[in-house]
């Protein structure tokens, strides 16, 4: 006799989350009645629907469990936008733009997650194809050298957007359109980001006037949009979320990495540094000045940004709070330690609770269609 296929949503994961929710939220009361209702719904339909309170707390727990995030001290402050009733590309795009306005908040960045429709049995939900809601395009130069104008990390999506009809200007800091795909195999829809949804900061330096001549800038809201939010066995593949930037993410990675904007050589030249040998530490000196410029510029613009020393101290405060509550704090050391002056920060000189890839709720790599 053939066995019945497993339910779309794992009852064990659902039960574990419901128990955790009621344990950490005593005002919700005992879990037994809700647990019976959830398991009955899974048995009847293959999945279940979270209450608004469960969704909001589950999203916050996903942030608390994010082993690569140094900014988890404020996990309780996450603004959760319940948009599960929306599933069309047009509605998703419009609310993603509103997400950026809410999160941008005139420069006082707020942590926000916008949760759209989940995957259901036989009905996969729409996906955002962008890695982040805001990112700069990369345009390959036909010079035989494989060069890119703009951000190489945005070249693949830019090429796909052009195939769909997007007209680009090939600017170094050209904001990519938002690409939304409603169903597997369908042609994605693309949407230009409204100007009022994209807060950007031009970069200058507190001591070197020439720095502004480099024409660098960066966007204020780092909203990740290519991960799945998993809560109690329910998968939300469209759930863009953001915190605020730590300066090194821009100054030591996005603008400095050789496979991104690769600005260290240019900055070193303008500083008059000796680049003839690695032993002059010209890259290190240019990197510090690039990070100084980023922190200075965001502060001058009134846009929230953390420096790596302060954020490291905040993270250890979070670890201590979790320890007092008897909870582990999984952390990926290679992500928690900043890419600039790591050894000068308190997060460098210690070990952390191991990362459990099965820990849920969580933001996880999205499965392909």
């Amino acid at each position: 006799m053939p066995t019945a296929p497993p339910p779309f949503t794992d009852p064990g994961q659902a039960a574990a989350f419901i128990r955790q929710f009621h344990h950490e939220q005593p005002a919700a009361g005992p879990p037994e009645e809700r647990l019976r209702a959830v398991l009955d719904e899974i048995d009847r339909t293959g999945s279940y629907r979270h209450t608004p309170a469960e969704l909001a707390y589950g999203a916050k727990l996903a942030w608390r469990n994010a082993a690569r995030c140094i900014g988890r001290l404020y996990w309780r402050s996450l603004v959760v936008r319940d948009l599960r009733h929306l599933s069309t590309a047009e509605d998703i795009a419009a609310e993603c733009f509103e997400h950026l306005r809410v999160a941008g908040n005139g420069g006082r960045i707020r942590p926000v997650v916008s949760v759209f429709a989940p995957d259901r049995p036989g009905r996969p939900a729409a996906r955002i194809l962008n890695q982040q809601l805001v990112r700069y395009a990369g345009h390959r130069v036909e010079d035989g050298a494989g060069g890119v104008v703009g951000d190489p990390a945005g070249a693949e999506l830019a090429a796909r957007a052009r195939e769909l009809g997007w007209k680009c200007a090939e600017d170094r800091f050209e904001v990519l359109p938002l690409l939304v795909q409603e169903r597997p195999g369908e042609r994605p829809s693309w949407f230009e980001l409204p100007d009022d949804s994209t807060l950007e900061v031009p970069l200058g330096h507190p001591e070197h006037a020439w720095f502004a001549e480099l024409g660098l800038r960066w966007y204020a809201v780092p909203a990740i949009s290519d991960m799945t939010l998993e809560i109690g066995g329910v998968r939300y593949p469209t759930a863009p979320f953001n915190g605020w930037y730590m300066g090194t993410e821009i100054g030591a990675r996005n603008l400095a990495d050789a496979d991104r904007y690769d600005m260290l050589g240019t900055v070193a030249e303008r500083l008059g540094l000796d680049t003839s040998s690695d032993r002059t530490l010209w890259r290190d000196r240019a990197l510090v000045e690039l990070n100084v410029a980023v922190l200075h510029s965001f502060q001058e613009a009134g846009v929230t940004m953390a420096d790596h020393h302060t954020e490291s101290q905040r993270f250890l405060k979070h670890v201590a709070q979790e320890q007092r509550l008897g909870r582990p704090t999984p952390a990926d050391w290679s992500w928690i330690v900043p890419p600039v002056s790591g050894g000068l920060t308190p997060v460098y000189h210690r070990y952390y609770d191991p990362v459990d890839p099965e820990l849920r709720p969580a933001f996880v790599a999205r499965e392909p269609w």
Side-chain angles (χ1 to χ4, degrees), residues 149-229:
V149 173
D151 190 349
E156 182 177 345
L157 194 70
R160 188 164 189 185
R162 287 195 298 270
E163 292 173 356
L164 295 170
W166 177 53
K167 305 299 182 183
C168 56
E170 297 192 5
D171 179 66
R172 291 174 68 207
F173 294 94
E174 184 173 14
V175 176
L176 283 162
L178 190 71
L179 272 62
V180 183
Q181 189 173 11
E182 290 188 17
R183 293 289 181 271
E186 286 188 359
R187 181 183 176 88
S189 301
W190 63 272
F191 306 87
E192 291 276 13
L193 274 68
D195 291 342
D196 70 342
S197 71
T198 310
L199 178 59
E200 295 179 278
V201 177
L203 302 185
H205 193 284
E207 299 174 8
H208 304 297
W210 53 260
F211 197 97
E213 299 171 5
L214 300 178
L216 303 177
R217 63 179 186 264
W218 208 260
Y219 51 89
V221 179
I224 306 299
S225 53
D226 67 345
M227 299 187 77
T228 292
L229 170 61

Side-chain angles (χ1 to χ4, degrees), residues 76-275:
R76 294 178 184 83
S77 70
L78 181 67
V79 176
V80 181
R81 305 176 70 229
D82 186 351
L83 303 169
R84 289 175 290 172
H85 59 291
L86 301 179
S87 58
T88 68
E90 290 77 10
D91 287 341
I92 290 170
E95 288 299 338
C96 283
F97 304 151
E98 183 61 18
H99 174 123
L100 291 170
R101 297 184 188 103
V102 171
N105 191 33
R108 300 182 63 182
I109 309 299
R110 290 185 286 203
V112 177
V113 61
S114 296
V115 186
F116 294 94
D119 285 338
R120 306 295 289 180
R123 288 185 294 142
R127 267 76 165 154
I128 295 170
L129 303 188
N130 307 57
Q131 291 181 315
Q132 298 185 22
L133 295 184
V134 182
R135 199 153 201 178
Y136 297 122
H139 307 288
R140 302 197 183 280
V141 179
E142 302 297 333
D143 60 357
V148 173
V149 173
D151 190 349
E156 182 177 345
L157 194 70
R160 188 164 189 185
R162 287 195 298 270
E163 292 173 356
L164 295 170
W166 177 53
K167 305 299 182 183
C168 56
E170 297 192 5
D171 179 66
R172 291 174 68 207
F173 294 94
E174 184 173 14
V175 176
L176 283 162
L178 190 71
L179 272 62
V180 183
Q181 189 173 11
E182 290 188 17
R183 293 289 181 271
E186 286 188 359
R187 181 183 176 88
S189 301
W190 63 272
F191 306 87
E192 291 276 13
L193 274 68
D195 291 342
D196 70 342
S197 71
T198 310
L199 178 59
E200 295 179 278
V201 177
L203 302 185
H205 193 284
E207 299 174 8
H208 304 297
W210 53 260
F211 197 97
E213 299 171 5
L214 300 178
L216 303 177
R217 63 179 186 264
W218 208 260
Y219 51 89
V221 179
I224 306 299
S225 53
D226 67 345
M227 299 187 77
T228 292
L229 170 61
E230 285 194 10
I231 303 173
V234 179
R235 295 187 292 275
Y236 299 94
T238 305
F241 63 95
N242 71 275
W244 50 73
Y245 267 119
M246 188 165 71
T248 54
E249 295 178 83
I250 301 170
R253 300 304 309 275
N254 298 336
L255 293 176
D257 282 353
D259 60 350
R260 298 294 298 282
Y261 277 88
D262 194 19
M263 290 300 302
L264 292 185
T266 300
V267 173
E269 181 181 2
R270 297 299 294 264
L271 287 168
L273 301 180
D274 178 4
T275 61

Side-chain angles (χ1 to χ4, degrees), residues 3 6 10 73 82 199 211 332 362:
T3 58
D10 184 348
L73 176 62
D82 186 351
L199 178 59
F211 197 97
D332 186 332

